[in-house]
Amino acid sequence: MDKPLVTDFAVDFDHTDPTWVDNPYPIMDDLRERCPIAHSDRYGGMWAPMTHETVSAIANDTVHFTSRTVVINNGRPGDGDEAPPAPIGVAPPITSDPPFHEIARRLFLPAFAPRPINALEPYTRELCAGLLDAMGDADTIEVSTQYTQHIPVGLIAKLCGLPPEDGDLFRSFVHDVIEAVDLPTEERIERFEPIRDYIGAAMQKRKESPSDDLISYLLDSEIAGNKLSDEHVFGSILLLIIAGIDTTWSAIGSSIWHLADNPDDLARLVAHPELLPSAVEEFLRAYAPVSMARLVIEDFEFAGCPMKKDDWIFLSFPAANRDPKAFDNANDVLIDREINRHSAFGLGIHRCLGSNLARMEMTVALEEFLKRYTKFELIPSDPTKFSQGQVRGPRRLPIRILERA
């Protein structure tokens, strides 16, 4: 059954409402002015801070807020799921609380350090070039399904030793976990079974025949002399597939969407490719794809809000990045912005482990795209469609090619 539409986001906030999905930024501005922390009874109770100060404070507070689960839905941990209890959570380290979080995070650091990520650049460039070759000389292209969604799939598949041909399956996992949050808890649990089966089979294969990939690496890793539990390995691979694909897919797509809608920025970037590093950072700030979630651990008051145990917190890094108290001209996209300490990769202990990978993918994807297409535009009769939920990016992005290199 369809949910009622939101009429006032201050007291009935919903990040899946069509108005928010279509364009959340004016809503953020309005809430920031009259209600810095919105509330909702939806999803069993939710708070949504809209200022950089409050988002940062919550992101850095592990005493009052738990990360045990980070996707807002109608259930709560323990409602039929088999997630390990805090501090591990279902997808460590992103769902881990201190002190376990630091231990789980440290396992990933070598794989996502600058040197191994830079070594993936030639593969990424080849992947992007192949996708662009496949588009041929068409006058119109659909950027999301023909280009952006395939780039992170290729990288995550390579890192995990999984078949890139399973991309459609990975994207179905992303949809079921991140977007289908309005489903009843029982149905979400049922939809999770194919994910459990897929990752479980990949783990079993590597137990029998280890290989040079992250799944084998995690299976061979130890904490305090003990191998990681199967639940820990499963959750970490789940995190790589879901977060590693959806976020970068969205960030690359939003960047191309902006350029298609802002011809001056496109022309400037084509003429001055040396601006690409600052442009990437600005696209990350202005169109930060990710909002995380926390749960309130026990009843307490935060910034005048009477928060209750197990209330959700919608932790909007996009809203923090648009706060005029944190950034000059916060709603203007300035591709040469010099001071840009944005929060697109999060704040606090859970800052994104994959930031080096995401930046590399974005940079290469945009470089290769702009080498082929030097002028393009949106198609008003075929509008862009954005994803709903806690990761925002174009899921359908038709553009018209006006000039090729």
Side-chain angles (χ1 to χ4, degrees), residues 144-167:
S144 183
T145 57
Q146 291 184 271
Y147 190 59
T148 58
Q149 71 178 15
H150 300 287
I151 299 165
V153 164
L155 270 295
I156 294 300
K158 185 173 181 63
L159 285 168
C160 293
L162 298 170
E165 296 79 17
D166 290 346

Side-chain angles (χ1 to χ4, degrees), residues 127-128 131-132 134-135 140-154 167-168 171 174 179 245-258 260 361 365-366 369 373 376-379 382-388 391-401:
L127 171 63
C128 292
L131 293 168
L132 292 165
M135 295 180 199
T140 62
I141 58 175
E142 206 289 275
V143 176
S144 183
T145 57
Q146 291 184 271
Y147 190 59
T148 58
Q149 71 178 15
H150 300 287
I151 299 165
V153 164
D168 285 344
R171 286 183 287 271
V174 167
E179 295 193 68
I245 291 173
D246 198 16
T247 55
T248 314
W249 170 13
S250 297
I252 299 170
S254 292
S255 302
I256 294 174
W257 173 80
H258 173 87
E361 287 183 69
L366 291 173
F369 197 85
Y373 306 124
F376 47 88
E377 64 183 6
L378 300 177
I379 304 174
D382 196 358
T384 303
K385 293 187 170 140
F386 288 88
S387 55
Q388 73 166 27
V391 180
R392 184 177 193 268
R395 288 297 174 266
R396 178 171 170 74
L397 176 52
I399 65 171
R400 181 179 292 109
I401 305 302

Side-chain angles (χ1 to χ4, degrees), residues 63-378:
V63 174
H64 297 101
F65 305 97
T66 175
S67 299
R68 185 186 169 191
T69 185
V70 292
V71 179
I72 294 169
N73 62 87
N74 289 307
R76 293 297 187 278
D79 292 347
D81 64 24
E82 298 176 7
I88 299 174
V90 69
I94 201 172
T95 58
S96 304
D97 292 331
F100 185 82
H101 163 267
E102 184 179 356
I103 299 168
R105 182 182 175 91
R106 197 179 303 131
L107 293 171
F108 271 117
L109 291 177
F112 290 94
R115 181 175 292 180
I117 295 306
N118 289 340
L120 289 170
E121 182 178 326
Y123 170 82
T124 309
R125 203 169 293 282
E126 182 180 348
L127 171 63
C128 292
L131 293 168
L132 292 165
D133 287 344
M135 295 180 199
D137 297 325
D139 292 331
T140 62
I141 58 175
E142 206 289 275
V143 176
S144 183
T145 57
Q146 291 184 271
Y147 190 59
T148 58
Q149 71 178 15
H150 300 287
I151 299 165
V153 164
L155 270 295
I156 294 300
K158 185 173 181 63
L159 285 168
C160 293
L162 298 170
E165 296 79 17
D166 290 346
D168 285 344
L169 188 60
F170 298 158
R171 286 183 287 271
S172 75
F173 295 166
V174 167
H175 173 78
D176 287 341
V177 172
I178 301 294
E179 295 193 68
V181 294
D182 289 322
L183 295 175
T185 300
E186 297 77 13
E187 186 171 345
R188 280 181 60 81
I189 292 170
E190 183 179 337
R191 287 193 178 202
F192 196 73
E193 286 308 306
I195 305 174
R196 190 178 299 280
D197 292 343
Y198 182 89
I199 297 176
M203 290 168 56
Q204 185 59 38
K205 179 179 178 182
R206 282 151 185 81
K207 287 179 181 180
E208 296 169 359
S209 179
S211 57
D212 184 19
D213 58 45
L214 272 177
I215 301 178
S216 295
Y217 165 76
L218 289 169
L219 286 168
D220 193 48
S221 295
E222 296 181 353
I223 293 177
N226 298 310
K227 297 283 189 184
L228 305 186
S229 67
D230 280 356
E231 291 82 5
H232 186 151
V233 176
F234 168 86
S236 294
I237 299 306
L238 172 68
L239 171 63
L240 287 172
I241 292 175
I242 301 299
I245 291 173
D246 198 16
T247 55
T248 314
W249 170 13
S250 297
I252 299 170
S254 292
S255 302
I256 294 174
W257 173 80
H258 173 87
L259 293 172
D261 198 37
N262 291 271
D264 290 346
D265 284 349
L266 173 57
R268 191 178 177 200
L269 205 51
V270 168
H272 299 282
E274 68 275 10
L275 286 175
L276 189 58
S278 64
V280 165
E281 297 306 313
E282 181 68 343
F283 295 148
L284 283 166
R285 183 197 69 83
Y287 304 112
V290 180
S291 297
M292 292 304 296
R294 300 286 188 269
L295 283 169
V296 178
I297 296 175
E298 297 291 348
D299 293 3
F300 95 117
E301 185 173 300
F302 174 81
C305 300
M307 297 182 173
K308 302 298 182 184
K309 182 180 186 298
D310 286 342
D311 277 354
W312 290 110
I313 305 295
F314 178 77
L315 204 56
S316 178
F317 299 121
N321 281 343
R322 295 274 185 144
D323 187 343
K325 289 185 178 179
F327 295 92
D328 294 335
N329 304 305
N331 279 322
D332 295 335
V333 181
L334 308 174
I335 63 172
D336 58 355
R337 188 184 291 268
E338 294 182 1
I339 301 174
N340 197 354
R341 298 187 65 180
H342 60 74
S343 308
F345 293 116
L347 295 162
I349 64 171
H350 289 288
R351 188 181 183 282
C352 177
L353 263 168
S355 59
N356 291 323
L357 177 62
R359 282 188 169 104
M360 185 275 288
E361 287 183 69
M362 285 185 69
T363 301
V364 172
L366 291 173
E367 279 179 349
E368 293 301 314
F369 197 85
L370 297 178
K371 282 180 186 176
R372 303 287 182 104
Y373 306 124
T374 54
K375 191 174 182 181
F376 47 88
E377 64 183 6
L378 300 177

